[in-house]
Amino acid sequence: MNSFVAGYIPLFDLYCLHVGLALSQYIVLRVGVFSLATAAFAGIGAYTAGILAVDLGMHPVIGVIAGTATGMAAAIFLSIPLARLRGVYQAIATVAFIQICLSLNIYSENLTGGAMGLNNIPKTVGTLTLFIFAALATYLIWSLEKGRIGRAFNTIRQDEAVAASLGISIRKHQMLAFAISGALAGLFGGLEAYHSYAIDPKQFGFHLLITILSYVIFGGRNSVIGPLVGAAFLIILPELARPLAENRMVIYGIMLILVINYMPKGVADTAIDALKARKLKARGAASS
Amino acid sequence: MTALQLTNLSKSFGGVIASEAVNIEVPAGKIIGLIGPNGAGKTTIVNLITGMLPVSGGTIHVGETDITHAPAHEICRAGLARTFQNTRLLSEASVLDNVMIGLHRHETSSTFAALLGLPSAGRETQELRTQSMELLDRFGLTEFADYPAGGLSYGHQRKVEMARAVATDPDFILLDEPIAGMNDVESDALADIFRGVAKDGKGVLLIEHNVRFVAKLCSYVYVLDSGRLISEGAPDHVLNEPLVISAYLGGDDA
Ligand SMILES: Nc1ncnc2c1ncn2[C@@H]1O[C@H](COP(=O)(O)OP(=O)(O)O)[C@@H](O)[C@H]1O
Ligand SMILES: [Mg+2]
């Protein structure tokens, strides 16, 4: 039994890390910004934390805080030119940003280790730490969602003109969403660095972008449950059988095509909507 | 007494002049009509006032405050609210949520409290919910509170939009053809609500096609044709002017 559990711990670690990144992706989509920059922010956080630990021997707490701060700073910086773009142009610009980060990373070999990556990072983060941070991130997004900021985000996503006519500042809220997205990605990037001994540039590229986006699209974009469910499904499912695990990306592709076609809102949101509709119907029947 | 004041307001789209030196005053506590044939430039004026289109010339004042070039969300905070000619609700959100957003302008809990879900933020949400339910009650929409707004009839959707605009607690409210597509019973109910809003001391600019409805409600009427004001004054006077009648009938000398 114990060895059975132990076998799944790496999977649980991965889940906690990716929940953090999925929430980072989720929060920008939530405010109507089609940014895909989470992978880049995660890389910035991971390398900041890694370099501080390896080159300067800093305490991991400082490293994680610095990773969070640089991820957030990069996001706020990126939000300024992005505010002028909409939709697919934002996506293109953010993919370009990921590419720029990758190139700079490989180019600054002295600092980052270039294509070889950064090695010998002391492992200071374990399963419990990851779990606590994933839970905190979930709480943060959940509480934000049910209050004033969540309402403003929803309005902006659905109709910017209406939002402005009701006194909601689009720029301020989109920048806030970016700051949160960058901070979360930087934080979980930093945790990843301290959890895995080594990081390399490829880890924070196109592959990660697709993986994270899949979680949110699969799970749903309108409630915090979406990314949690999406990450759980897409991480566990391929593990059920060896051949599936070897073709993880193929499985993701097939499942995404199915979900986008049959449940465009994602698995969790579709379920939540169905529950709500049923409740209203039951009440309607009771009152008539 | 404050007023919403448009002075020589002008706008052109490329070569097309959508408004030309328009002067309109909406005093607090009054319902002012703005009528004119399709394409006269009525909606454009609402868009200029609310900052959804940049102004080409002239000024817009709320009391002493110049809002001519203020961004849209600040214009709302200066005390202006509008409805849209083609109702624009958040169609997937519930009726209650649609009205609650209108109260955004008055939310005071700090960003920090909202982020961390502190009790002060929770209390505020609760408070807003109560206020929104009161508004829904006033508009006769209580039974629809939990339904998605997009599923309601046009008449009800317009009322929800009106409730949302009133929720911002504006000093001036701009209504762009609010009774289009409604039957007489529905429009009479709305007329009572407009009168109530004006009685509360708010200025109302009512854009409407239905001349009878305007005559019944407004104390003063402006008539717009091809971007220019061709007449203004008390309704029974204005609506009998040959120039106005011909603009409506579309002929030059009717
Ligand atoms: N955003 C816009 N861009 C270009 N032309 C516009 C725009 N909005 C309105 N117009 C033009 O301005 C004129 C007035 O339109 P509008 O204000 O909608 O009239 P009304 O509301 O009185 O029916 C029309 O000729 C219309 O085509
Ligand atoms: Mg119009």
Side-chain angles (χ1 to χ4, degrees), chain A residues 139-140 143-144 146-149 151-152 155 158-159 161-162 164-169 173 180 265 280 283, chain B residues 52 72-73 76-77 84 88 90-91 100-101 104 107 109-111 114-117 125 128 146-147 164 168:
Chain A
Y139 172 77
L140 178 86
S143 68
L144 169 154
K146 67 184 171 54
R148 162 168 80 88
I149 298 173
R151 288 193 288 275
T155 312
Q158 292 178 63
D159 194 328
V162 165
S165 82
L166 296 172
I168 299 171
S169 164
H173 284 92
I180 296 168
K265 289 176 170 177
L280 280 176
R283 215 176 56 188
Chain B
M52 307 227 153
H73 68 273
C76 165
R77 287 170 183 268
F84 294 86
R88 286 170 87 163
L90 310 184
S91 54
M100 267 174 89
I101 304 152
H104 176 88
E107 296 193 53
S109 70
S110 71
T111 301
L115 272 181
L116 297 185
T125 296
L128 294 191
D146 295 325
Y147 285 85
R164 183 175 74 186
T168 68

Side-chain angles (χ1 to χ4, degrees), chain B residues 42-43 85 176-177:
Chain B
K42 304 179 298 293
T43 298
Q85 185 170 349
D176 197 352
E177 306 203 16

Side-chain angles (χ1 to χ4, degrees), chain B residues 13 16 18 36-45 53 85 176-177:
Chain B
F13 296 108
V16 179
N38 259 327
K42 304 179 298 293
T43 298
T44 300
I45 287 182
L53 285 173
Q85 185 170 349
D176 197 352
E177 306 203 16

